[in-house]
């Protein structure tokens, strides 16, 4: 008889009908996924190069991991002509111990040329991977289940936060923050009623 491992099903994430500033990272990410889903949303998985991962995991780093990544991402997006793109990413450490990111992008208005430039910018921000693994560095898929994607991403949030020694795992663009504040205020009353 083989032993079966039972995994606890992730709880549903609910956005409380409170002021924007009182929402936590989990709630803000769910809002980002919900908002993006309705506007050409793209679900992203991004693997880091070995050197970038080592730098982020290093205890000797003086800058927070999310600030390091956000600076690199914003620079790469600017060089690709994609400044102002709405995005939200979360760090995750896989069961195998690999640090990577999952996220959402607002994909409205991105044509094939822009998507190619986006992939290159994401690779640049994550540190270029060479060889066969390069083909799996960036995965972009249409976002069709915002709540499910958010639950999937938060499955190992606590252990990732412990290993990175930070509670702040989310990287969000300023443009996404502005978009979500408005979205949250517009939908807050319906959440209060529900």
């Amino acid at each position: 008889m083989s032993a079966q491992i039972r995994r606890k099903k992730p709880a549903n994430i609910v956005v409380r009908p409170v002021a924007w500033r009182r929402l936590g990272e989990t709630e803000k990410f769910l809002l980002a996924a919900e908002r993006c889903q309705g506007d050409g949303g793209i679900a992203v998985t991004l693997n880091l190069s070995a050197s970038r991962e080592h730098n982020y995991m290093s205890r000797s780093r003086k800058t927070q991991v999310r600030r390091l990544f956000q600076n690199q991402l914003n620079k790469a997006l600017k060089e690709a002509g994609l400044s102002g793109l709405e995005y939200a990413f979360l760090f995750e450490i896989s069961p195998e111990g690999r640090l990577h990111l999952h996220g959402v992008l607002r994909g409205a208005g991105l044509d094939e040329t822009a998507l190619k430039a986006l992939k290159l910018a994401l690779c640049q921000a994550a540190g270029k991977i060479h060889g066969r693994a390069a083909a799996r560095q960036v995965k972009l898929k249409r976002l069709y289940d915002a709540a499910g994607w958010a639950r999937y991403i938060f499955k190992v949030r606590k252990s990732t936060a412990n290993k990175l020694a930070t509670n702040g795992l989310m990287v969000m663009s300023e443009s996404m923050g502005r978009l979500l504040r408005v979205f949250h205020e517009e939908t807050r009353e319906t959440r209060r009623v529900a």
Side-chain angles (χ1 to χ4, degrees):
M1 181 175 171
S2 64
Q4 290 184 354
I5 298 173
R6 293 184 185 226
R7 295 186 183 201
K8 194 167 109 178
K9 185 178 176 187
N12 285 331
I13 303 166
V14 178
V15 179
R16 298 170 292 149
V18 297
W20 169 258
R21 69 183 180 283
R22 295 187 59 209
L23 294 178
E25 262 189 3
T26 309
E27 294 166 306
K28 287 180 180 179
F29 188 85
L30 177 58
L31 279 174
E34 285 178 357
R35 180 62 179 88
C36 286
Q37 180 177 321
D39 203 5
I42 300 170
V44 182
T45 297
L46 180 61
N47 293 308
L48 300 169
S49 69
S51 62
R52 194 67 46 96
E53 180 183 1
H54 176 73
N55 183 28
Y56 289 174
M57 298 285 284
S58 168
R59 294 286 181 206
S60 64
R61 64 178 150 66
K62 294 188 166 100
T63 309
Q64 280 194 349
V65 173
R66 60 186 185 172
R67 184 178 297 155
L68 286 169
F69 177 72
Q70 188 161 29
N71 289 344
Q72 290 158 338
L73 180 57
N74 286 341
K75 180 182 177 196
L77 289 172
K78 183 177 182 180
E79 290 172 0
L82 296 169
S83 291
L85 182 71
E86 293 93 351
Y87 65 79
F89 284 95
L90 286 157
F91 283 97
E92 176 182 290
I93 297 177
S94 70
E96 298 79 33
R98 295 295 315 261
L99 180 65
H100 60 283
L101 295 107
H102 292 293
V104 293
L105 302 166
R106 187 166 168 248
L110 295 179
D111 60 13
E112 284 301 314
T113 304
L115 286 173
K116 285 180 184 176
L118 173 62
K119 274 186 127 173
L120 289 173
L122 290 169
C123 286
Q124 184 179 345
K128 191 80 173 138
I129 294 176
H130 301 282
R132 289 187 295 182
R136 295 184 310 274
Q137 184 170 13
V138 178
K139 294 179 193 167
L140 303 176
K141 292 187 177 180
R142 189 176 142 264
L143 180 63
Y144 61 89
D145 179 9
W149 184 237
R151 278 194 310 274
Y152 172 76
I153 291 171
F154 279 102
K155 67 190 177 297
V156 291
R157 185 184 191 291
K158 191 172 184 176
S159 63
T160 299
N162 289 338
K163 289 177 184 170
L164 291 177
T166 181
N167 284 325
L169 299 177
M170 186 165 61
V171 177
M172 182 185 292
S173 66
E174 288 181 20
S175 55
M176 179 66 89
R178 286 190 299 271
L179 183 71
L180 292 184
R181 279 185 209 104
V182 171
F183 180 64
H184 178 60
E185 289 306 317
E186 289 172 353
T187 59
R188 191 167 139 186
E189 287 306 314
T190 58
R191 293 178 199 284
R192 192 181 308 271
V193 173

